[in-house]
Amino acid sequence: MRYNNFIFLLNDSIQNGHIQRALEAVATFQAADLADVLAQLPMKNSLTLLLALPERAYVFSYLSAEQQIDFSNALPRATLAEIIGEMPSDKRVDLYKHLDEQHQNALLPALAQAEREDIRQLAAYVEGTAGAIMSSEYSTLKPEMTVAEAFKTIRLEAPDTETIYLSYVVDDERKLIGVVSLRELILAQEDQVIENIMTKEVISAKVTDDQLKVVKNISRYDLLALPIITENGEMVGIVTYDDAMDVASEEATEDFLKSGAVHADSKFSLKSAPIMLLYRKRVFWLVFLVFGSLLSGIGIAHFEDIIAAHIVLVFFLPLLVGSGGNAGSQSATLMVRALATGDVQFRDWFYLLGRELLVALCLGGTMAIAVSLLGYFRGDEMVSLVLALSMLGIVLIGCLIGMSLPFVLNRMGLDPASASAPLVTSICDATGVLVYLFIAAQFLPI
Amino acid sequence: MRYNNFIFLLNDSIQNGHIQRALEAVATFQAADLADVLAQLPMKNSLTLLLALPERAYVFSYLSAEQQIDFSNALPRATLAEIIGEMPSDKRVDLYKHLDEQHQNALLPALAQAEREDIRQLAAYVEGTAGAIMSSEYSTLKPEMTVAEAFKTIRLEAPDTETIYLSYVVDDERKLIGVVSLRELILAQEDQVIENIMTKEVISAKVTDDQLKVVKNISRYDLLALPIITENGEMVGIVTYDDAMDVASEEATEDFLKSGAVHADSKFSLKSAPIMLLYRKRVFWLVFLVFGSLLSGIGIAHFEDIIAAHIVLVFFLPLLVGSGGNAGSQSATLMVRALATGDVQFRDWFYLLGRELLVALCLGGTMAIAVSLLGYFRGDEMVSLVLALSMLGIVLIGCLIGMSLPFVLNRMGLDPASASAPLVTSICDATGVLVYLFIAAQFLPI
């Protein structure tokens, strides 16, 4: 509430032309918080405040993609070009890619030559690659420079670089040959030569590498930034740890939503997404999974006689079939996450299958004992036996399906994270019905 | 394969006492890669290599918790104390907490007084709080220092601090009053006073704050490190961005596994976890969910007559019930993730419920039309009507359950991420059976 009151008063100040007072009120705000404020003010007053902010381009880059587009449409073209020119290059190209073609074409001529070129180059990289998330603002040093000269270069370039804590050493062909941290520079003597203090084993990624590889390298080696190079080893950009954190979070969200059979291909907000977008993200899987359920129905129809003769079987149907689906979902979830974090590789499949078999035997055994007791009280010894055998078989098969599906999907060129709980459940349900009623048909008289 | 061959040769060198050759072979390796090498060598030779490494404590801190304990048990106590003394303080206390009481008591007297105190203090913080993940190695400045003096202090403390890129300014009572980055120091004049160039609005967290709050702050404000303070504002530690990335990844894994009904309370590896640990992590939910399935069974038993009269109903049972579970899983997944990333808050529940109702109506409507066509071809108009109405009702109820369950769990003091797909499916299955057969009983003759 207090925050809303603050926004109300701030809006009032701007409305009445007291822009200086408004600026004072937000003087101590961080860029991320300022972006929140801008998002909550009415567009007209929000624009007034934005244009008056000392670090407007920096704050602007903290707005969400939708908000940036709204502001872009409301700003005069020359002012927009000015702000875009001042934005960090990775944020700038993100915005550019979100604009429709008409706006893109209107914007480009208003930008300076260098920025135009930069946008064109960065926008050319495919979404999901290292190139698409990198920034072109980093400082480079020559190997023959002294530490004192390096400091001079770094100070000079500081306003335009994403980080001054790492400088990359390139040769005359811009090939990456070393990296030196500000920590190392500070601890070195002024007359030492960069070539002698730089680290020559540089961890880097190619522009075409998957963005997840960038995240994994930054996380594994605790890097502040990862240099991005071309096939020829020329340095073209860096990805900083904060952008890597954002990518990691987006990828985790995507996998998480896929695990719940929600189609996830872009950043979106549950709170602000249009109803029809939410509908579209969910309807495909819901309809697709109908076919799995139909298989279960066909299985049931096939064994109508045995069901009619032993109606007690129906009572246990949801329990047996459900347990298989649940065990399978667990296996798939464990496998998908372990693949995503790099804990296991696709080549480990055979080894993991063996372990899974053991775990499934223990789980299936426990469940079989429990369900056979239930069956004994509601039916007889034979029903109890059928239930125990079915439970063991269904849990075993469920686990093996859940564990294998991510690998199968990957082999088919699909994302293993698509092995969602609902998908695994649907497959296990159909299998479970068949196993259960088949075993029942063997042991029980019709 | 080539990597295995390398390990083979390396092991051979160490075995034959050519430790210098082994060191040369791994001279360019990063700490994380060295830890991998150590984990793959036989313990005896691995120890020999570790003790010869120039940055052994740093490499040691990259080993997994289980590996560190194995090494700790194999090392002479004095050597272990030496290594532990050199480790970063946050990694050191993690290891200490993993040791059993006997080893803890044996270790403490072997450490220097300062390290002992440090471990005791850090180990006192509750798991999951900021205090439990912070490091006590950071550099502090006094407000009255000049930039030149600050550089001297930073250079002096550099070997013992987690980051030299941020220095925290504290008053005589160690209260945090400002922060200054190395970037700002480099760009300032040597005779400027720290108080005049420091940022006075410092984003910090309390020792007792949830570790997720630390991650969210570091990510939101793109910080290199977050200072941790006591209730009184005294500075006691920092959490660096790389540790925050690890926490974020662990939390995402935990939520992901919960979504698949796998009990997740600690870091563990699918590849190396003991079979019985995997069993224990899964068996609780499998058995618990049996009760949900039993409810479905009871529902079916209750409507035996209507099923017997219209056997076609059984054919559609998995489809209808499954769709409700699937839609519910989607809702729960969307909600759990949005809560975890901070996209939505618990106070948004009512607003989100309204939106969910609209989405559910669209989804239910689509599915109702599809299933009523199927029903018309396999049954008659009345069956078709029953199917359409049931589908609409089941999807609506499923979505509302899926959306609400995370909130209900939170109100009960449980983790909203426990609203797993299998749990939601079980609840929606039982509800779906009742809705379907109840509607059928209203429209169809027995």
Side-chain angles (χ1 to χ4, degrees):
Chain A
M1 273 305 136
R2 273 184 300 166
Y3 185 65
N4 285 345
N5 295 352
F6 171 76
I7 295 290
F8 176 80
L9 288 178
L10 188 69
N11 190 40
D12 212 46
S13 293
I14 304 169
Q15 185 75 37
N16 295 329
H18 300 144
I19 186 69
Q20 210 51 45
R21 202 180 301 162
L23 283 179
E24 274 165 38
V26 298
T28 61
F29 278 41
Q30 301 285 331
D33 296 330
L34 276 173
D36 267 3
V37 168
L38 289 177
Q40 297 198 41
L41 291 171
M43 178 55 81
K44 191 172 146 284
N45 293 340
S46 191
L47 277 181
T48 311
L49 180 61
L50 173 68
L51 295 180
L53 285 174
E55 289 198 297
R56 58 190 191 177
Y58 185 59
V59 173
F60 186 77
S61 67
Y62 271 92
L63 290 167
S64 75
E66 297 94 23
Q67 290 160 352
Q68 287 186 5
I69 292 171
D70 287 347
F71 276 82
S72 300
N73 293 336
L75 282 166
R77 200 195 306 169
T79 321
L80 177 62
E82 240 178 79
I83 289 181
I84 286 186
E86 295 162 19
M87 278 172 82
S89 64
D90 51 342
K91 304 287 189 296
R92 176 163 69 198
V93 71
D94 275 351
L95 168 58
Y96 176 77
K97 285 192 280 193
H98 277 106
L99 293 175
D100 56 40
E101 213 177 325
Q102 191 197 333
H103 278 91
Q104 287 183 344
N105 292 337
L107 180 68
L108 279 186
L111 291 174
Q113 166 77 13
E115 288 149 11
R116 212 154 56 215
E117 268 313 298
D118 189 61
I119 285 184
R120 278 222 185 93
Q121 274 174 21
L122 289 180
Y125 297 108
V126 183
E127 276 302 306
T129 63
I133 55 167
M134 73 187 184
S135 154
S136 51
E137 287 134 340
Y138 51 92
S139 77
T140 55
L141 301 174
K142 296 274 158 205
E144 63 274 10
M145 281 181 174
T146 62
V147 169
E149 287 168 339
F151 268 119
K152 223 162 137 185
T153 309
I154 291 171
R155 275 205 193 89
L156 213 65
E157 294 180 353
D160 297 321
T161 53
E162 284 250 339
T163 176
I164 67 162
Y165 300 134
L166 289 172
S167 298
Y168 298 95
V169 188
V170 295
D171 64 15
D172 292 337
E173 291 163 327
R174 281 202 76 79
K175 284 206 175 129
L176 179 63
I177 54 171
V179 61
V180 62
S181 70
L182 194 55
R183 180 182 196 130
E184 287 158 336
L185 289 176
I186 290 248
L187 298 177
Q189 304 299 322
E190 292 227 319
D191 56 354
Q192 276 185 283
V193 177
I194 293 299
E195 194 165 19
N196 299 330
I197 62 165
M198 73 186 187
T199 304
K200 292 187 180 94
E201 306 291 325
V202 193
I203 299 163
S204 64
K206 299 236 162 64
V207 270
T208 50
D209 281 342
D210 191 302
Q211 61 179 9
L212 258 189
K213 192 186 163 189
V214 176
V215 175
K216 279 183 186 166
N217 272 336
I218 288 184
S219 165
R220 176 174 170 85
Y221 300 111
D222 294 337
L223 303 175
L224 268 172
L226 189 77
I228 311 295
I229 56 175
T230 63
E231 282 299 322
N232 303 325
E234 290 156 49
M235 179 153 183
V236 283
I238 59 169
V239 176
T240 49
Y241 73 94
D242 49 322
D243 293 330
M245 276 182 99
D246 293 343
V247 171
S249 170
E250 281 162 27
E251 290 270 353
T253 298
E254 207 177 304
D255 280 2
F256 196 81
L257 295 187
K258 276 187 184 155
S259 80
V262 179
H263 183 66
D265 58 357
S266 61
K267 319 158 191 185
F268 90 112
S269 154
L270 177 61
K271 204 170 168 181
S272 57
I275 300 287
M276 285 322 283
L277 177 67
L278 284 170
Y279 169 79
R280 282 204 308 278
K281 283 192 173 294
R282 297 172 59 172
V283 74
F284 166 76
W285 274 110
L286 277 190
V287 171
F288 181 82
L289 292 170
V290 160
F291 294 100
S293 308
L294 278 179
L295 283 180
S296 298
I298 293 169
I300 290 174
H302 182 74
F303 287 101
E304 247 170 49
D305 298 343
I306 188 85
I307 295 176
H310 302 273
I311 205 73
V312 66
L313 291 178
V314 183
F315 176 79
F316 287 103
L317 186 69
L319 198 169
L320 285 172
V321 165
S323 298
N326 291 338
S329 301
Q330 289 183 329
S331 305
T333 305
L334 281 166
M335 185 57 69
V336 167
R337 184 62 189 170
L339 283 169
T341 58
D343 179 23
V344 305
Q345 315 284 321
F346 286 103
R347 61 167 185 270
D348 301 324
W349 179 59
F350 202 71
Y351 167 71
L352 291 166
L353 207 62
R355 286 168 54 89
E356 182 67 16
L357 208 63
L358 288 177
V359 177
L361 271 174
C362 298
L363 290 172
T366 311
M367 302 288 285
I369 292 169
V371 81
S372 70
L373 289 176
L374 280 174
Y376 184 74
F377 287 113
R378 235 192 122 84
D380 53 28
E381 287 89 352
M382 282 315 278
V383 168
S384 172
L385 177 68
V386 165
L387 290 175
L389 285 178
S390 302
M391 181 60 99
L392 187 62
I394 288 173
V395 169
L396 268 180
I397 294 175
C399 287
L400 297 186
I401 291 176
M403 173 114 324
S404 307
L405 195 59
F407 289 94
V408 174
L409 289 172
N410 181 262
R411 272 295 158 99
M412 292 165 64
L414 297 169
D415 184 342
S418 302
S420 63
L423 178 59
V424 172
T425 303
S426 292
I427 298 177
C428 290
D429 280 1
T431 327
V433 165
L434 292 179
V435 170
Y436 177 36
L437 296 178
F438 176 78
I439 291 181
Q442 308 305 308
F443 286 88
L444 299 177
I446 295 185
Chain B
M1 271 309 134
R2 273 183 302 165
Y3 185 65
N4 285 344
N5 296 351
F6 170 76
I7 295 289
F8 176 80
L9 287 178
L10 188 70
N11 190 40
D12 213 46
S13 294
I14 304 169
Q15 186 75 39
N16 295 328
H18 300 145
I19 186 69
Q20 210 50 46
R21 202 180 301 162
L23 284 178
E24 275 165 37
V26 298
T28 62
F29 279 40
Q30 301 284 331
D33 296 331
L34 277 173
D36 267 3
V37 169
L38 289 177
Q40 296 198 40
L41 289 171
M43 178 54 80
K44 190 171 147 284
N45 293 339
S46 192
L47 277 180
T48 311
L49 181 62
L50 173 68
L51 295 180
L53 286 174
E55 289 198 297
R56 58 189 192 177
Y58 185 60
V59 173
F60 186 77
S61 67
Y62 271 91
L63 290 167
S64 74
E66 295 95 25
Q67 291 160 352
Q68 286 186 5
I69 291 170
D70 287 347
F71 276 81
S72 300
N73 294 335
L75 281 167
R77 200 195 306 170
T79 321
L80 177 63
E82 239 177 80
I83 290 181
I84 286 186
E86 294 162 20
M87 278 172 81
S89 64
D90 49 343
K91 304 288 190 297
R92 177 164 67 197
V93 71
D94 275 351
L95 168 58
Y96 177 77
K97 285 192 280 192
H98 277 106
L99 294 174
D100 55 40
E101 213 178 324
Q102 192 197 334
H103 278 89
Q104 287 182 344
N105 291 337
L107 181 69
L108 279 187
L111 292 174
Q113 167 77 14
E115 288 149 12
R116 213 154 57 215
E117 268 313 298
D118 189 61
I119 286 185
R120 279 222 184 92
Q121 272 173 22
L122 288 181
Y125 296 107
V126 184
E127 276 302 306
T129 63
I133 55 168
M134 73 186 183
S135 154
S136 50
E137 286 135 341
Y138 51 91
S139 76
T140 54
L141 302 174
K142 297 272 158 204
E144 63 275 11
M145 282 180 173
T146 63
V147 168
E149 287 167 340
F151 268 119
K152 222 163 138 185
T153 309
I154 291 171
R155 274 203 193 91
L156 211 67
E157 293 181 352
D160 297 321
T161 53
E162 286 250 339
T163 177
I164 67 162
Y165 300 134
L166 289 172
S167 298
Y168 298 94
V169 188
V170 294
D171 65 13
D172 291 337
E173 292 163 325
R174 281 201 77 79
K175 286 209 173 125
L176 178 64
I177 54 172
V179 60
V180 63
S181 71
L182 194 55
R183 181 183 196 130
E184 287 158 336
L185 289 175
I186 290 249
L187 298 176
Q189 305 298 321
E190 293 226 318
D191 56 353
Q192 276 185 284
V193 177
I194 294 298
E195 193 166 17
N196 298 331
I197 62 165
M198 71 185 188
T199 305
K200 292 188 181 96
E201 306 291 325
V202 193
I203 300 162
S204 64
K206 298 235 163 66
V207 271
T208 49
D209 280 341
D210 192 300
Q211 60 178 10
L212 260 188
K213 192 186 163 191
V214 176
V215 174
K216 280 182 185 166
N217 271 336
I218 287 184
S219 165
R220 176 174 171 86
Y221 300 112
D222 294 337
L223 303 175
L224 269 172
L226 188 76
I228 311 294
I229 57 175
T230 62
E231 283 298 321
N232 302 325
E234 289 154 50
M235 179 154 183
V236 282
I238 59 167
V239 177
T240 50
Y241 72 95
D242 48 321
D243 293 330
M245 276 182 100
D246 294 342
V247 171
S249 169
E250 282 163 25
E251 291 269 352
T253 298
E254 208 179 303
D255 280 2
F256 196 80
L257 295 187
K258 276 186 184 156
S259 79
V262 178
H263 183 65
D265 57 358
S266 61
K267 319 157 190 184
F268 91 113
S269 154
L270 178 61
K271 203 170 169 181
S272 57
I275 300 288
M276 285 322 284
L277 178 66
L278 284 170
Y279 169 79
R280 281 204 308 278
K281 283 190 173 295
R282 298 172 59 172
V283 74
F284 167 75
W285 274 110
L286 278 190
V287 171
F288 182 82
L289 292 171
V290 160
F291 294 99
S293 308
L294 278 179
L295 283 181
S296 298
I298 292 168
I300 290 175
H302 182 75
F303 287 101
E304 248 171 48
D305 297 344
I306 188 86
I307 296 177
H310 302 273
I311 205 71
V312 66
L313 292 177
V314 183
F315 176 79
F316 286 104
L317 185 69
L319 198 167
L320 285 172
V321 165
S323 298
N326 292 338
S329 301
Q330 289 182 329
S331 305
T333 305
L334 281 166
M335 185 56 68
V336 168
R337 184 62 188 169
L339 283 169
T341 58
D343 179 23
V344 304
Q345 316 282 322
F346 286 102
R347 60 166 185 269
D348 300 324
W349 180 59
F350 202 72
Y351 167 71
L352 291 166
L353 207 63
R355 285 167 55 91
E356 182 67 15
L357 207 62
L358 289 177
V359 178
L361 272 174
C362 298
L363 290 171
T366 310
M367 301 289 285
I369 292 168
V371 80
S372 70
L373 290 175
L374 280 174
Y376 184 75
F377 286 115
R378 234 193 122 85
D380 53 27
E381 288 89 351
M382 281 316 277
V383 168
S384 172
L385 178 67
V386 165
L387 290 175
L389 285 179
S390 303
M391 182 59 101
L392 189 62
I394 287 173
V395 169
L396 268 181
I397 294 175
C399 288
L400 297 187
I401 291 176
M403 173 114 324
S404 307
L405 196 59
F407 288 94
V408 174
L409 289 173
N410 181 261
R411 271 296 158 98
M412 292 165 62
L414 298 169
D415 185 342
S418 302
S420 64
L423 177 60
V424 172
T425 303
S426 291
I427 298 177
C428 290
D429 280 2
T431 327
V433 165
L434 293 180
V435 171
Y436 178 37
L437 297 178
F438 176 78
I439 292 181
Q442 309 305 309
F443 286 88
L444 299 177
I446 296 187

